[in-house]
């Protein structure tokens, strides 16, 4: 097998690339800011920027992704609240809420992993807690949320939502024309050579 051959295309590959699309937005913006800062240091102070000076930016990048994915999920919850309170009176709000919800579901798994994936609470320690202790222990909540979302069943369902959406989208366009606008933008964005 040659080095550049595609070994296989699975639903995991498609799901991970979709997640990467949504997750990388703040990282690209952060790298642009840091690049401009380095360039300005070079132009204004004559500093040598040919080597890494700023220290490890991994913690900042991880925090950006943590809060960005949480923002996307909370934004979807806010969109549903708006739809239930006020949005039904306006045209096209349901299609926007559906699209934002699918984005939030795409980033739910990495968001959960970043926030609770490395909890110190073990199953043995959790089983020894009483209910009153468990309800006030953050480690117990982290373990329960991790078990709820970071399992094979939920992961399997989530990775099939995106492709199912793209199959249903043309049919939903008949009832919700604003979804067609989103589909047109997705087609333009995905077929443009970069």
């Amino acid at each position: 097998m040659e080095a550049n051959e595609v070994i296989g295309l699975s639903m995991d590959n498609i799901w991970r690339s979709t997640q990467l699309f949504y997750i990388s937005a703040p990282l690209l913006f952060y790298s642009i800011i840091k690049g401009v800062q380095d360039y300005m240091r070079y132009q204004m102070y004559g500093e040598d920027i040919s080597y890494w000076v700023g220290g490890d930016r991994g913690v900042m990048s991880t925090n950006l992704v943590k809060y960005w994915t949480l923002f996307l999920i909370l934004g979807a919850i806010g969109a549903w609240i708006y739809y239930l309170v006020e949005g039904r009176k306006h045209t096209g709000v349901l299609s926007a809420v559906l699209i934002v919800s699918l984005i939030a579901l795409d980033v739910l798994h990495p968001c959960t992993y970043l926030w609770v994936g490395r909890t110190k609470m073990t199953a043995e320690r959790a089983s020894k807690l009483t209910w009153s202790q468990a309800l006030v222990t953050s480690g117990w909540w982290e373990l329960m949320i991790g078990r709820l979302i970071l399992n094979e069943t939920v992961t399997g369902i989530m990775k099939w939502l995106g492709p199912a959406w793209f199959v249903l989208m043309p049919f939903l366009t008949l009832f919700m024309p604003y979804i067609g606008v989103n589909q047109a933008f997705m087609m333009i964005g995905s077929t443009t050579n970069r």
Side-chain angles (χ1 to χ4, degrees):
M1 178 184 308
E2 296 296 321
N4 290 331
E5 286 185 44
V6 174
I7 294 174
L9 181 64
S10 68
M11 196 48 76
D12 287 337
N13 301 100
I14 295 169
W15 185 45
R16 296 290 181 213
S17 67
T18 306
Q19 287 175 334
L20 181 64
F21 175 76
Y22 296 122
I23 289 172
S24 64
L27 297 177
L28 292 172
F29 186 65
Y30 177 64
S31 66
I32 289 169
I33 290 171
K34 287 301 179 182
V36 168
Q37 285 177 344
D38 289 344
Y39 177 75
M40 295 303 287
R41 280 197 340 257
Y42 170 72
Q43 287 295 324
M44 295 180 155
Y45 305 114
E47 284 187 31
D48 181 15
I49 59 170
S50 62
Y51 60 94
W52 195 271
V53 167
D56 184 23
R57 295 178 179 161
V59 173
M60 181 63 171
S61 299
T62 303
N63 285 334
L64 276 171
V65 171
K66 278 174 69 171
Y67 287 102
W68 174 250
T69 54
L70 182 63
F71 171 73
L72 290 173
I73 292 167
L74 293 177
I77 293 169
W80 276 104
I81 291 170
Y82 173 76
Y83 176 73
L84 294 173
V85 172
E86 180 70 26
R88 290 177 285 166
K89 300 173 190 170
H90 305 287
T91 306
V93 175
L94 180 61
S95 57
V97 169
L98 289 174
I99 292 165
V100 169
S101 298
L102 285 169
I103 292 170
L105 288 173
D106 267 342
V107 300
L108 180 64
H109 192 270
C111 180
T112 305
Y113 179 77
L114 288 170
W115 282 98
V116 301
R118 296 184 181 131
T119 183
K120 292 179 174 74
M121 177 68 71
T122 62
E124 295 82 33
R125 283 182 48 205
S127 65
K128 292 178 184 175
L129 295 174
T130 64
W131 274 104
S132 59
Q133 290 173 329
L135 290 176
V136 296
T137 305
S138 63
W140 184 83
W141 284 104
E142 290 174 355
L143 185 66
M144 292 301 116
I145 291 171
R147 282 184 183 171
L148 177 70
I149 297 171
L150 301 176
N151 62 56
E152 287 187 31
T153 305
V154 173
T155 302
I157 292 169
M158 298 253 187
K159 70 180 166 184
W160 283 95
L161 281 177
W165 171 252
F166 283 111
V167 169
L168 289 174
M169 195 183 308
F171 300 109
L172 289 175
T173 303
L174 298 172
F175 305 105
M176 293 181 258
Y178 287 97
I179 289 179
V181 173
N182 176 61
Q183 185 176 13
F185 282 126
M186 292 289 285
M187 286 173 41
I188 291 170
S190 64
T191 58
T192 304
N193 292 333
R194 294 185 174 105

